[in-house]
Amino acid sequence: METLLLWLFYISTFYAFIPGIISRLFGYRVFRKGSGVQEFALTFDDGPDPKYTPRLLDLLSKYGAKATFFVVGSHAERHPELIRRMHDEGHLIGIHNYIHKSNWLMRPSTVRKQIQRTNDIIYGVTGERSTYYRPPWGIVNLFDFSKRRHVKIVLWSAMFGDWRQNLGTERLTEKMLARLGPGEVMLLHDCGLTLGADPEAPEQMLIALERTLEEAKRRGLRSIRVDDMIKAAEKSPLLRLSFGKRLLVGAWLTWERCFRLMFRLRTVTPNLPFLHYRLREYQGQAISLDRGMTLSKGDSIIEIHVDNRQLFELGIQSRSAAQLAIRMIRRMDQDLPVLAEIIAGDESLAEVKALYGVTMINRGPEKFGFTVKDLPEGLFARLTKFYLSVLLSVIHPAGGARLKERSEALVPKMILMPVSQLLDHYGQKCTGTKLRKRQDAAAVLEDDMAAEEFPGAHAH
């Protein structure tokens, strides 16, 4: 009996658990998130539903939004008129199995039949077959990765728990607005008949969705079909990376999320994150700053971090190190004034003495008002250099080979700035003269960095 249980454990681990982890964390053979400047994707599971789907289609039409519906085949079979309307109104129709059952609980042949049966129903109504598939609960098994499936697995980047009625409309709206942004694949449900869902939950989803679409309109964002998002993503330089590097990037970005949660980092501009920060006590040796100030052990500081996902995306979209540096300069110039406003308006930050970060930028930060100092020699400096070397080998446009040629330049530095200096420089609304000075400084910085071979990355 013990041997049988052990074999069942091994089989379930390799058949279900490991493929699930690989797909969720590293995006292996699945699509989870797109790219772009103004586009996001609304996706709806478990329908169609005769009560809520027509109202949802009306709402999407009102805002000119396109969406992707992953339909349950048995529901589609009962309501072909809704499948026809989805198709006629320009939405994408995907497959969500014939019945809403986990792929972990079905043999590969059964999953294949579920997909094929649902696809036949869609074809019978629309005259087109679907090549997009979302397994129920996003749970894949080992054979879902097979190319013989002839479907593209689509997961999501943002899920909100909208199938629970006790979440409430206000909280659901907050969660949706917090994740509204370019490239997001948002998971919602237009049917509440699935096991574990509340039948009336789509009612509050529709209210929250209208508020989200209204905000998207205000921001100039638009919802597109998943196939259009995939086509745009396929042009991304990310696809030029080997699977090993994509695996490394996945682990790195997972660590980024864990780090932000563990240390409760706050984000300067949540809608387009670039700088994160946290309040802590300085624990290093005494350092002289500008304005005759000294930073001593125990002083309150704001530790800043660059968003790793944004850093990676800037890196892979840049044709050269100079272009990456210039893009980082522009983002920093956008976020520092906002950080100054946050500090000025938050009483809990009133006693902060300085901004603090660790970077490999050898030139540039001082033009923003930072003082650049060497890290004290020791274990922290060595580990930081190793971490940033690995990081830059992935995001640097020239790749790891170029970094090896200039390894002596990979020296992590501390950057520091008195908070009073930040507030003086950025804390007031820019006048014309002040704005021109900032623009001139940024232009000089861009010229300087155009010759710099190693744009920076902030270490955690």
PDB file of all heavy atoms in Angstrom, residues 194-225:
ATOM      1  N   THR A 194     -20.392  27.808 -11.701  1.00  0.00           N
ATOM      2  CA  THR A 194     -19.300  26.869 -11.465  1.00  0.00           C
ATOM      3  C   THR A 194     -19.214  26.506  -9.992  1.00  0.00           C
ATOM      4  O   THR A 194     -19.520  27.322  -9.118  1.00  0.00           O
ATOM      5  CB  THR A 194     -17.968  27.489 -11.922  1.00  0.00           C
ATOM      6  OG1 THR A 194     -18.088  27.882 -13.288  1.00  0.00           O
ATOM      7  CG2 THR A 194     -16.826  26.504 -11.786  1.00  0.00           C
ATOM      8  N   LEU A 195     -18.760  25.281  -9.710  1.00  0.00           N
ATOM      9  CA  LEU A 195     -18.581  24.836  -8.335  1.00  0.00           C
ATOM     10  C   LEU A 195     -17.659  25.806  -7.593  1.00  0.00           C
ATOM     11  O   LEU A 195     -16.565  26.114  -8.045  1.00  0.00           O
ATOM     12  CB  LEU A 195     -17.968  23.427  -8.323  1.00  0.00           C
ATOM     13  CG  LEU A 195     -17.704  22.813  -6.933  1.00  0.00           C
ATOM     14  CD1 LEU A 195     -19.027  22.563  -6.209  1.00  0.00           C
ATOM     15  CD2 LEU A 195     -16.903  21.520  -7.080  1.00  0.00           C
ATOM     16  N   GLY A 196     -18.133  26.307  -6.457  1.00  0.00           N
ATOM     17  CA  GLY A 196     -17.351  27.241  -5.666  1.00  0.00           C
ATOM     18  C   GLY A 196     -17.669  28.695  -5.927  1.00  0.00           C
ATOM     19  O   GLY A 196     -17.239  29.574  -5.177  1.00  0.00           O
ATOM     20  N   ALA A 197     -18.412  28.976  -6.997  1.00  0.00           N
ATOM     21  CA  ALA A 197     -18.778  30.356  -7.325  1.00  0.00           C
ATOM     22  C   ALA A 197     -20.150  30.692  -6.751  1.00  0.00           C
ATOM     23  O   ALA A 197     -20.952  29.805  -6.440  1.00  0.00           O
ATOM     24  CB  ALA A 197     -18.779  30.555  -8.838  1.00  0.00           C
ATOM     25  N   ASP A 198     -20.420  31.986  -6.613  1.00  0.00           N
ATOM     26  CA  ASP A 198     -21.733  32.455  -6.177  1.00  0.00           C
ATOM     27  C   ASP A 198     -22.557  32.817  -7.406  1.00  0.00           C
ATOM     28  O   ASP A 198     -22.090  33.589  -8.256  1.00  0.00           O
ATOM     29  CB  ASP A 198     -21.593  33.675  -5.270  1.00  0.00           C
ATOM     30  CG  ASP A 198     -20.860  33.336  -3.976  1.00  0.00           C
ATOM     31  OD1 ASP A 198     -21.089  32.235  -3.450  1.00  0.00           O
ATOM     32  OD2 ASP A 198     -20.055  34.169  -3.504  1.00  0.00           O
ATOM     33  N   PRO A 199     -23.763  32.287  -7.530  1.00  0.00           N
ATOM     34  CA  PRO A 199     -24.560  32.504  -8.746  1.00  0.00           C
ATOM     35  C   PRO A 199     -24.779  33.969  -9.104  1.00  0.00           C
ATOM     36  O   PRO A 199     -24.854  34.306 -10.290  1.00  0.00           O
ATOM     37  CB  PRO A 199     -25.891  31.807  -8.411  1.00  0.00           C
ATOM     38  CG  PRO A 199     -25.522  30.769  -7.404  1.00  0.00           C
ATOM     39  CD  PRO A 199     -24.433  31.372  -6.585  1.00  0.00           C
ATOM     40  N   GLU A 200     -24.885  34.854  -8.093  1.00  0.00           N
ATOM     41  CA  GLU A 200     -25.151  36.265  -8.386  1.00  0.00           C
ATOM     42  C   GLU A 200     -23.895  37.126  -8.428  1.00  0.00           C
ATOM     43  O   GLU A 200     -23.977  38.350  -8.571  1.00  0.00           O
ATOM     44  CB  GLU A 200     -26.118  36.830  -7.327  1.00  0.00           C
ATOM     45  CG  GLU A 200     -27.441  36.093  -7.234  1.00  0.00           C
ATOM     46  CD  GLU A 200     -28.186  36.066  -8.563  1.00  0.00           C
ATOM     47  OE1 GLU A 200     -28.183  37.110  -9.263  1.00  0.00           O
ATOM     48  OE2 GLU A 200     -28.745  35.014  -8.909  1.00  0.00           O
ATOM     49  N   ALA A 201     -22.711  36.515  -8.315  1.00  0.00           N
ATOM     50  CA  ALA A 201     -21.465  37.285  -8.302  1.00  0.00           C
ATOM     51  C   ALA A 201     -21.241  38.123  -9.563  1.00  0.00           C
ATOM     52  O   ALA A 201     -20.697  39.224  -9.479  1.00  0.00           O
ATOM     53  CB  ALA A 201     -20.276  36.350  -8.072  1.00  0.00           C
ATOM     54  N   PRO A 202     -21.649  37.643 -10.764  1.00  0.00           N
ATOM     55  CA  PRO A 202     -21.425  38.480 -11.954  1.00  0.00           C
ATOM     56  C   PRO A 202     -22.126  39.837 -11.899  1.00  0.00           C
ATOM     57  O   PRO A 202     -21.725  40.761 -12.628  1.00  0.00           O
ATOM     58  CB  PRO A 202     -21.977  37.611 -13.095  1.00  0.00           C
ATOM     59  CG  PRO A 202     -21.828  36.211 -12.605  1.00  0.00           C
ATOM     60  CD  PRO A 202     -22.115  36.289 -11.140  1.00  0.00           C
ATOM     61  N   GLU A 203     -23.133  39.964 -11.046  1.00  0.00           N
ATOM     62  CA  GLU A 203     -23.830  41.245 -10.931  1.00  0.00           C
ATOM     63  C   GLU A 203     -22.863  42.335 -10.486  1.00  0.00           C
ATOM     64  O   GLU A 203     -22.810  43.434 -11.061  1.00  0.00           O
ATOM     65  CB  GLU A 203     -24.982  41.128  -9.935  1.00  0.00           C
ATOM     66  CG  GLU A 203     -25.858  42.354  -9.836  1.00  0.00           C
ATOM     67  CD  GLU A 203     -26.748  42.533 -11.060  1.00  0.00           C
ATOM     68  OE1 GLU A 203     -27.343  41.540 -11.523  1.00  0.00           O
ATOM     69  OE2 GLU A 203     -26.817  43.688 -11.550  1.00  0.00           O
ATOM     70  N   GLN A 204     -22.067  42.055  -9.445  1.00  0.00           N
ATOM     71  CA  GLN A 204     -21.124  43.057  -8.968  1.00  0.00           C
ATOM     72  C   GLN A 204     -19.925  43.188  -9.913  1.00  0.00           C
ATOM     73  O   GLN A 204     -19.313  44.246 -10.008  1.00  0.00           O
ATOM     74  CB  GLN A 204     -20.666  42.742  -7.550  1.00  0.00           C
ATOM     75  CG  GLN A 204     -19.901  41.452  -7.381  1.00  0.00           C
ATOM     76  CD  GLN A 204     -19.669  41.145  -5.902  1.00  0.00           C
ATOM     77  OE1 GLN A 204     -20.443  41.569  -5.040  1.00  0.00           O
ATOM     78  NE2 GLN A 204     -18.614  40.405  -5.604  1.00  0.00           N
ATOM     79  N   MET A 205     -19.603  42.114 -10.636  1.00  0.00           N
ATOM     80  CA  MET A 205     -18.537  42.197 -11.635  1.00  0.00           C
ATOM     81  C   MET A 205     -18.889  43.221 -12.706  1.00  0.00           C
ATOM     82  O   MET A 205     -18.045  44.020 -13.137  1.00  0.00           O
ATOM     83  CB  MET A 205     -18.298  40.822 -12.271  1.00  0.00           C
ATOM     84  CG  MET A 205     -17.168  40.794 -13.311  1.00  0.00           C
ATOM     85  SD  MET A 205     -17.646  41.339 -14.991  1.00  0.00           S
ATOM     86  CE  MET A 205     -18.743  40.010 -15.493  1.00  0.00           C
ATOM     87  N   LEU A 206     -20.131  43.238 -13.146  1.00  0.00           N
ATOM     88  CA  LEU A 206     -20.546  44.172 -14.194  1.00  0.00           C
ATOM     89  C   LEU A 206     -20.436  45.620 -13.719  1.00  0.00           C
ATOM     90  O   LEU A 206     -20.027  46.506 -14.478  1.00  0.00           O
ATOM     91  CB  LEU A 206     -21.980  43.864 -14.625  1.00  0.00           C
ATOM     92  CG  LEU A 206     -22.179  42.564 -15.408  1.00  0.00           C
ATOM     93  CD1 LEU A 206     -23.665  42.262 -15.588  1.00  0.00           C
ATOM     94  CD2 LEU A 206     -21.488  42.634 -16.767  1.00  0.00           C
ATOM     95  N   ILE A 207     -20.773  45.862 -12.460  1.00  0.00           N
ATOM     96  CA  ILE A 207     -20.662  47.224 -11.917  1.00  0.00           C
ATOM     97  C   ILE A 207     -19.205  47.652 -11.854  1.00  0.00           C
ATOM     98  O   ILE A 207     -18.835  48.749 -12.282  1.00  0.00           O
ATOM     99  CB  ILE A 207     -21.313  47.288 -10.519  1.00  0.00           C
ATOM    100  CG1 ILE A 207     -22.815  46.982 -10.611  1.00  0.00           C
ATOM    101  CG2 ILE A 207     -21.092  48.669  -9.889  1.00  0.00           C
ATOM    102  CD1 ILE A 207     -23.487  46.825  -9.255  1.00  0.00           C
ATOM    103  N   ALA A 208     -18.350  46.764 -11.319  1.00  0.00           N
ATOM    104  CA  ALA A 208     -16.925  47.078 -11.206  1.00  0.00           C
ATOM    105  C   ALA A 208     -16.287  47.230 -12.577  1.00  0.00           C
ATOM    106  O   ALA A 208     -15.410  48.086 -12.780  1.00  0.00           O
ATOM    107  CB  ALA A 208     -16.218  45.992 -10.404  1.00  0.00           C
ATOM    108  N   LEU A 209     -16.725  46.419 -13.527  1.00  0.00           N
ATOM    109  CA  LEU A 209     -16.163  46.495 -14.875  1.00  0.00           C
ATOM    110  C   LEU A 209     -16.488  47.833 -15.535  1.00  0.00           C
ATOM    111  O   LEU A 209     -15.621  48.437 -16.189  1.00  0.00           O
ATOM    112  CB  LEU A 209     -16.685  45.338 -15.733  1.00  0.00           C
ATOM    113  CG  LEU A 209     -16.221  45.346 -17.191  1.00  0.00           C
ATOM    114  CD1 LEU A 209     -14.706  45.250 -17.285  1.00  0.00           C
ATOM    115  CD2 LEU A 209     -16.889  44.210 -17.970  1.00  0.00           C
ATOM    116  N   GLU A 210     -17.724  48.321 -15.358  1.00  0.00           N
ATOM    117  CA  GLU A 210     -18.060  49.606 -15.970  1.00  0.00           C
ATOM    118  C   GLU A 210     -17.199  50.731 -15.385  1.00  0.00           C
ATOM    119  O   GLU A 210     -16.741  51.609 -16.111  1.00  0.00           O
ATOM    120  CB  GLU A 210     -19.542  49.924 -15.788  1.00  0.00           C
ATOM    121  CG  GLU A 210     -19.930  51.260 -16.422  1.00  0.00           C
ATOM    122  CD  GLU A 210     -21.402  51.379 -16.739  1.00  0.00           C
ATOM    123  OE1 GLU A 210     -22.206  50.656 -16.117  1.00  0.00           O
ATOM    124  OE2 GLU A 210     -21.751  52.204 -17.623  1.00  0.00           O
ATOM    125  N   ARG A 211     -16.965  50.688 -14.093  1.00  0.00           N
ATOM    126  CA  ARG A 211     -16.097  51.694 -13.483  1.00  0.00           C
ATOM    127  C   ARG A 211     -14.670  51.584 -14.033  1.00  0.00           C
ATOM    128  O   ARG A 211     -14.003  52.595 -14.267  1.00  0.00           O
ATOM    129  CB  ARG A 211     -16.084  51.509 -11.965  1.00  0.00           C
ATOM    130  CG  ARG A 211     -17.425  51.777 -11.304  1.00  0.00           C
ATOM    131  CD  ARG A 211     -17.386  51.392  -9.837  1.00  0.00           C
ATOM    132  NE  ARG A 211     -18.661  51.627  -9.170  1.00  0.00           N
ATOM    133  CZ  ARG A 211     -18.925  51.277  -7.917  1.00  0.00           C
ATOM    134  NH1 ARG A 211     -17.988  50.659  -7.197  1.00  0.00           N
ATOM    135  NH2 ARG A 211     -20.103  51.527  -7.386  1.00  0.00           N
ATOM    136  N   THR A 212     -14.223  50.352 -14.245  1.00  0.00           N
ATOM    137  CA  THR A 212     -12.872  50.135 -14.778  1.00  0.00           C
ATOM    138  C   THR A 212     -12.771  50.621 -16.212  1.00  0.00           C
ATOM    139  O   THR A 212     -11.768  51.245 -16.598  1.00  0.00           O
ATOM    140  CB  THR A 212     -12.509  48.644 -14.686  1.00  0.00           C
ATOM    141  OG1 THR A 212     -12.588  48.217 -13.317  1.00  0.00           O
ATOM    142  CG2 THR A 212     -11.104  48.391 -15.205  1.00  0.00           C
ATOM    143  N   LEU A 213     -13.779  50.340 -17.012  1.00  0.00           N
ATOM    144  CA  LEU A 213     -13.765  50.799 -18.405  1.00  0.00           C
ATOM    145  C   LEU A 213     -13.825  52.324 -18.481  1.00  0.00           C
ATOM    146  O   LEU A 213     -13.214  52.933 -19.368  1.00  0.00           O
ATOM    147  CB  LEU A 213     -14.936  50.175 -19.162  1.00  0.00           C
ATOM    148  CG  LEU A 213     -14.801  48.682 -19.473  1.00  0.00           C
ATOM    149  CD1 LEU A 213     -16.109  48.129 -20.037  1.00  0.00           C
ATOM    150  CD2 LEU A 213     -13.662  48.436 -20.463  1.00  0.00           C
ATOM    151  N   GLU A 214     -14.537  52.932 -17.561  1.00  0.00           N
ATOM    152  CA  GLU A 214     -14.599  54.390 -17.519  1.00  0.00           C
ATOM    153  C   GLU A 214     -13.207  54.964 -17.191  1.00  0.00           C
ATOM    154  O   GLU A 214     -12.767  55.946 -17.799  1.00  0.00           O
ATOM    155  CB  GLU A 214     -15.620  54.836 -16.478  1.00  0.00           C
ATOM    156  CG  GLU A 214     -15.983  56.312 -16.533  1.00  0.00           C
ATOM    157  CD  GLU A 214     -16.686  56.712 -17.826  1.00  0.00           C
ATOM    158  OE1 GLU A 214     -17.550  55.946 -18.303  1.00  0.00           O
ATOM    159  OE2 GLU A 214     -16.346  57.794 -18.360  1.00  0.00           O
ATOM    160  N   GLU A 215     -12.526  54.346 -16.236  1.00  0.00           N
ATOM    161  CA  GLU A 215     -11.177  54.792 -15.879  1.00  0.00           C
ATOM    162  C   GLU A 215     -10.196  54.526 -17.015  1.00  0.00           C
ATOM    163  O   GLU A 215      -9.308  55.350 -17.294  1.00  0.00           O
ATOM    164  CB  GLU A 215     -10.704  54.083 -14.608  1.00  0.00           C
ATOM    165  CG  GLU A 215      -9.286  54.397 -14.182  1.00  0.00           C
ATOM    166  CD  GLU A 215      -9.058  55.858 -13.821  1.00  0.00           C
ATOM    167  OE1 GLU A 215     -10.050  56.589 -13.614  1.00  0.00           O
ATOM    168  OE2 GLU A 215      -7.873  56.268 -13.754  1.00  0.00           O
ATOM    169  N   ALA A 216     -10.350  53.397 -17.690  1.00  0.00           N
ATOM    170  CA  ALA A 216      -9.486  53.095 -18.831  1.00  0.00           C
ATOM    171  C   ALA A 216      -9.661  54.144 -19.932  1.00  0.00           C
ATOM    172  O   ALA A 216      -8.683  54.594 -20.543  1.00  0.00           O
ATOM    173  CB  ALA A 216      -9.812  51.704 -19.375  1.00  0.00           C
ATOM    174  N   LYS A 217     -10.888  54.551 -20.158  1.00  0.00           N
ATOM    175  CA  LYS A 217     -11.155  55.601 -21.148  1.00  0.00           C
ATOM    176  C   LYS A 217     -10.472  56.900 -20.757  1.00  0.00           C
ATOM    177  O   LYS A 217      -9.879  57.586 -21.602  1.00  0.00           O
ATOM    178  CB  LYS A 217     -12.673  55.801 -21.260  1.00  0.00           C
ATOM    179  CG  LYS A 217     -13.093  56.864 -22.270  1.00  0.00           C
ATOM    180  CD  LYS A 217     -14.616  56.979 -22.287  1.00  0.00           C
ATOM    181  CE  LYS A 217     -15.072  58.081 -23.240  1.00  0.00           C
ATOM    182  NZ  LYS A 217     -16.563  58.195 -23.234  1.00  0.00           N
ATOM    183  N   ARG A 218     -10.512  57.226 -19.465  1.00  0.00           N
ATOM    184  CA  ARG A 218      -9.881  58.453 -18.991  1.00  0.00           C
ATOM    185  C   ARG A 218      -8.374  58.413 -19.188  1.00  0.00           C
ATOM    186  O   ARG A 218      -7.749  59.416 -19.519  1.00  0.00           O
ATOM    187  CB  ARG A 218     -10.210  58.655 -17.512  1.00  0.00           C
ATOM    188  CG  ARG A 218      -9.781  60.007 -16.953  1.00  0.00           C
ATOM    189  CD  ARG A 218      -9.979  60.090 -15.452  1.00  0.00           C
ATOM    190  NE  ARG A 218      -9.066  59.231 -14.730  1.00  0.00           N
ATOM    191  CZ  ARG A 218      -7.795  59.542 -14.477  1.00  0.00           C
ATOM    192  NH1 ARG A 218      -7.298  60.697 -14.896  1.00  0.00           N
ATOM    193  NH2 ARG A 218      -7.018  58.709 -13.815  1.00  0.00           N
ATOM    194  N   ARG A 219      -7.776  57.229 -18.994  1.00  0.00           N
ATOM    195  CA  ARG A 219      -6.321  57.087 -19.127  1.00  0.00           C
ATOM    196  C   ARG A 219      -5.860  56.866 -20.564  1.00  0.00           C
ATOM    197  O   ARG A 219      -4.665  56.810 -20.835  1.00  0.00           O
ATOM    198  CB  ARG A 219      -5.833  55.906 -18.288  1.00  0.00           C
ATOM    199  CG  ARG A 219      -6.021  56.051 -16.806  1.00  0.00           C
ATOM    200  CD  ARG A 219      -5.320  54.883 -16.118  1.00  0.00           C
ATOM    201  NE  ARG A 219      -5.788  54.651 -14.771  1.00  0.00           N
ATOM    202  CZ  ARG A 219      -5.426  53.606 -14.038  1.00  0.00           C
ATOM    203  NH1 ARG A 219      -4.589  52.704 -14.547  1.00  0.00           N
ATOM    204  NH2 ARG A 219      -5.895  53.465 -12.803  1.00  0.00           N
ATOM    205  N   GLY A 220      -6.799  56.680 -21.472  1.00  0.00           N
ATOM    206  CA  GLY A 220      -6.407  56.402 -22.849  1.00  0.00           C
ATOM    207  C   GLY A 220      -6.027  54.955 -23.089  1.00  0.00           C
ATOM    208  O   GLY A 220      -5.314  54.637 -24.039  1.00  0.00           O
ATOM    209  N   LEU A 221      -6.525  54.040 -22.232  1.00  0.00           N
ATOM    210  CA  LEU A 221      -6.270  52.612 -22.383  1.00  0.00           C
ATOM    211  C   LEU A 221      -7.445  51.955 -23.093  1.00  0.00           C
ATOM    212  O   LEU A 221      -8.587  52.406 -22.975  1.00  0.00           O
ATOM    213  CB  LEU A 221      -6.074  51.948 -21.019  1.00  0.00           C
ATOM    214  CG  LEU A 221      -4.905  52.450 -20.173  1.00  0.00           C
ATOM    215  CD1 LEU A 221      -4.979  51.847 -18.771  1.00  0.00           C
ATOM    216  CD2 LEU A 221      -3.580  52.112 -20.817  1.00  0.00           C
ATOM    217  N   ARG A 222      -7.175  50.857 -23.798  1.00  0.00           N
ATOM    218  CA  ARG A 222      -8.268  50.151 -24.478  1.00  0.00           C
ATOM    219  C   ARG A 222      -8.089  48.650 -24.352  1.00  0.00           C
ATOM    220  O   ARG A 222      -6.962  48.139 -24.299  1.00  0.00           O
ATOM    221  CB  ARG A 222      -8.351  50.554 -25.952  1.00  0.00           C
ATOM    222  CG  ARG A 222      -7.128  50.200 -26.775  1.00  0.00           C
ATOM    223  CD  ARG A 222      -7.174  50.836 -28.151  1.00  0.00           C
ATOM    224  NE  ARG A 222      -6.033  50.447 -28.965  1.00  0.00           N
ATOM    225  CZ  ARG A 222      -6.035  49.447 -29.855  1.00  0.00           C
ATOM    226  NH1 ARG A 222      -7.151  48.753 -30.045  1.00  0.00           N
ATOM    227  NH2 ARG A 222      -4.957  49.150 -30.546  1.00  0.00           N
ATOM    228  N   SER A 223      -9.215  47.943 -24.292  1.00  0.00           N
ATOM    229  CA  SER A 223      -9.191  46.488 -24.185  1.00  0.00           C
ATOM    230  C   SER A 223      -9.189  45.881 -25.583  1.00  0.00           C
ATOM    231  O   SER A 223      -9.993  46.257 -26.446  1.00  0.00           O
ATOM    232  CB  SER A 223     -10.416  45.989 -23.414  1.00  0.00           C
ATOM    233  OG  SER A 223     -10.454  44.574 -23.413  1.00  0.00           O
ATOM    234  N   ILE A 224      -8.263  44.932 -25.795  1.00  0.00           N
ATOM    235  CA  ILE A 224      -8.169  44.251 -27.090  1.00  0.00           C
ATOM    236  C   ILE A 224      -8.299  42.742 -26.879  1.00  0.00           C
ATOM    237  O   ILE A 224      -8.220  42.240 -25.762  1.00  0.00           O
ATOM    238  CB  ILE A 224      -6.842  44.578 -27.802  1.00  0.00           C
ATOM    239  CG1 ILE A 224      -5.641  44.074 -26.971  1.00  0.00           C
ATOM    240  CG2 ILE A 224      -6.729  46.065 -28.066  1.00  0.00           C
ATOM    241  CD1 ILE A 224      -4.308  44.218 -27.683  1.00  0.00           C
ATOM    242  N   ARG A 225      -8.489  42.026 -27.981  1.00  0.00           N
ATOM    243  CA  ARG A 225      -8.591  40.574 -27.928  1.00  0.00           C
ATOM    244  C   ARG A 225      -7.224  39.965 -27.608  1.00  0.00           C
ATOM    245  O   ARG A 225      -6.180  40.533 -27.917  1.00  0.00           O
ATOM    246  CB  ARG A 225      -9.088  40.034 -29.263  1.00  0.00           C
ATOM    247  CG  ARG A 225     -10.473  40.457 -29.611  1.00  0.00           C
ATOM    248  CD  ARG A 225     -10.893  40.222 -31.053  1.00  0.00           C
ATOM    249  NE  ARG A 225     -10.231  39.161 -31.766  1.00  0.00           N
ATOM    250  CZ  ARG A 225     -10.822  38.366 -32.668  1.00  0.00           C
ATOM    251  NH1 ARG A 225     -12.118  38.537 -32.936  1.00  0.00           N
ATOM    252  NH2 ARG A 225     -10.148  37.446 -33.311  1.00  0.00           N
TER     253      ARG A 225
END
